[in-house]
Amino acid sequence: MKLDLSCPTCGSDDIMKNGTTRRGKQNHKCRDCGRQFVEDPQWKPKDKDIIALVNLLLLEKIPLAGIVKTVGVSASWLQNYVNKYYQACRAASRSSAKSQREADGSNG
């Protein structure tokens, strides 16, 4: 049975059905590159414009609930994003403080 799909990775139209996902959607597999995918995924990466808007609103100290309503992202995604962003900033701050101490010649 020929499906009217193409692989999102290699563009091949040699696709076969490959069971279902946990959520009940039809899973497909590319015979050329082996990539598994669903036709209309629920999860899609956030656009760079959305990320930039979220960063701007975070810098403006807008509450997370307000960002969720305004931008249209889920609360769990936003909380995970903020946590990862905070950890990255904290790590960068620690490494720059350590390099500053080493440059100053102090031990602590």
Side-chain angles (χ1 to χ4, degrees):
M1 176 180 184
K2 204 65 163 162
L3 302 172
D4 293 333
L5 294 174
S6 61
C7 176
T9 301
C10 69
S12 171
D13 61 351
D14 193 8
I15 306 296
M16 64 181 181
K17 289 185 177 183
N18 192 34
T20 57
T21 65
R22 283 178 258 162
R23 300 195 182 268
K25 288 193 157 204
Q26 179 65 55
N27 203 14
H28 302 283
K29 185 173 182 179
C30 176
R31 287 188 173 126
D32 292 339
C33 70
R35 162 89 188 262
Q36 292 187 45
F37 62 95
V38 293
E39 185 173 0
D40 187 23
Q42 290 177 317
W43 180 87
K44 295 179 183 171
K46 302 291 184 233
D47 291 333
K48 291 180 183 179
D49 296 338
I50 296 288
I51 301 285
L53 179 59
V54 166
N55 287 337
L56 179 66
L57 294 174
L58 288 171
L59 286 174
E60 293 293 329
K61 298 183 180 178
I62 305 296
L64 296 182
I67 296 174
V68 166
K69 289 179 185 175
T70 304
V71 179
V73 296
S74 70
S76 60
W77 177 87
L78 183 59
Q79 187 64 60
N80 287 335
Y81 179 77
V82 169
N83 291 346
K84 288 177 186 176
Y85 188 75
Y86 175 73
Q87 291 297 327
C89 290
R90 202 166 161 202
S93 174
R94 285 182 180 169
S95 66
S96 67
K98 183 178 178 181
S99 63
Q100 182 64 35
R101 283 193 307 266
E102 289 172 354
D104 293 343
S106 64
N107 289 334

